[in-house]
Structures are given as C-alpha cells and as structure tokens.
Amino acid sequence: MRVDKFLHDMNVGTRSQIRKLIKEKAVFVNDVVAKSGRVKVDPVVDQVRLGEQVITYQQYFYFMMNKPLGVVTATEDRKQKTVMDLFNKVDFRKDLFPVGRLDKDTEGLLLITNNGPLAHQLLAPERHVQKTYEAVVTGQITDPVVKQFADGMVLKDGTQLKPADLTILNYSALDEQTLVHVTLKEGKYHQVRRMFGSLGERVVSLKRISFGPLQLEEGLLPGTYRELSDEEIEKLKTE
C-alpha cells in the first residue's frame, strides 16, 4: 500500500493536504522521511508517523447509531437528511454505510460500518438475525395476539410471516394504547406496522432496540453514535 493511500484511508486529510504534508517532510515511515507518496508500507509491520504522532491503520470501522425520526437510512440523498449527515468530520468516511434500514418514521439502533462481508452475513435471510422493536400501538393488545405472532401471521395481502415474539409491557386505558416489544426473525417491508395493521390497529411510534447481539445503549441520544467495543464486534462476527 502506498503511504499516501494509507494516510488518506485513515482520514488524515484530503489527497492535496497529504501531498503537502509529504512535501513538508512531515511524514515518516519507520523513522525515515517519506520523500514521495509512492513509498510502500505494510500496515501490519511498518510504523507511519505524522510528525510525532503514530498513525495506526484500521481497515474496518463499526458504529452504533441511535437514528432519530425524520432522517432517511441512506448514504446520500439530494433532498433529505441522511444518517451519514449525522457524522462529524473526524469520523465520517465515504465507505461507511448503514447495515439494513430503518424507515424515516422509525428510530433506534442502526449499525453503520464499512465491512461489506460482515454486512452481507448479517443481512442474509438464512441467518435470521433477530431484531427487537419497542412499539406503541393503538388499542388493547391481548394474549391471543401474542399467540398469533408466535404461530406466524398471515398479512392481509396473503404474505406468510415467520413466528415472532410479542411481549405486552403496558396498556394505558387513558390513551387506549399498548406498549409492546416485538422480536422478528425476518425483515419484510414495514413488517411491524403491517402486522398490527392486519389486526385493525395502528403503530403510533416504533423504535428498534436490538439488532442481533447489539442492544441500544441507554443514554445514547437520538442523532448520536459511538464506536462499537471489541467485544461487540466479536459478537457480531459470530452472530
């Protein structure tokens, strides 16, 4: 790998800024001034410094985001704000992308990475990575509905769903709404909303609180994100 690509991959600066740093003799490879951006480096073996700062190479990046309402799950959109617009300049990378999607009117846990093979693994239908949602639903949801979900519902359009886990948390007689958790083993379009819609009810609010082994961190405010821990990354890889 060329040293200029190494530095660019690590978000040290733009290509022109990196060329300037090399010209100013601020870049070192194994304590030797890099005279050109074409100098080869082995990210595993060689040490690259910018002045006195050692630049450690990292191939893959992983972030947990608490996606807010009103933001689309996309890498770019000409008209609407995307989840990638929520990243600061230090963490933003052009190769980052969201794993799966949350609708514009759904909030909660979103995994963002640049690890394509892992994303493919997590989204593969045969792997059935579980996702849990917290929903506020109109009406009083009762135990027979729990059984319907567990048996595998058939939607109004005839779509057969896999069994899902429904947990009733609280019913508010004042609002005539029920707070529930729904755990899915698949991810069909607008699935949670369609499931309750087939019962004649409406989802008032929807938030994803888990994705595979990841749990939405309490205190992670909507619109903010954090890097995954090494332990979380390892759990994802073995999911």
Side-chain angles (χ1 to χ4, degrees), residues 132-136 141 143 146 166-172 177-182 209:
T132 299
Y133 296 82
E134 183 174 279
V136 175
I141 307 303
D143 289 341
V146 175
L166 172 63
T167 302
I168 300 170
L169 300 176
N170 181 58
Y171 172 67
S172 170
Q177 295 178 347
T178 307
L179 177 66
V180 300
H181 280 176
V182 182
I209 58 175

Side-chain angles (χ1 to χ4, degrees), residues 156-170:
K156 289 182 178 179
D157 62 4
T159 301
Q160 175 67 57
L161 301 179
K162 295 181 184 298
D165 296 326
L166 172 63
T167 302
I168 300 170
L169 300 176
N170 181 58

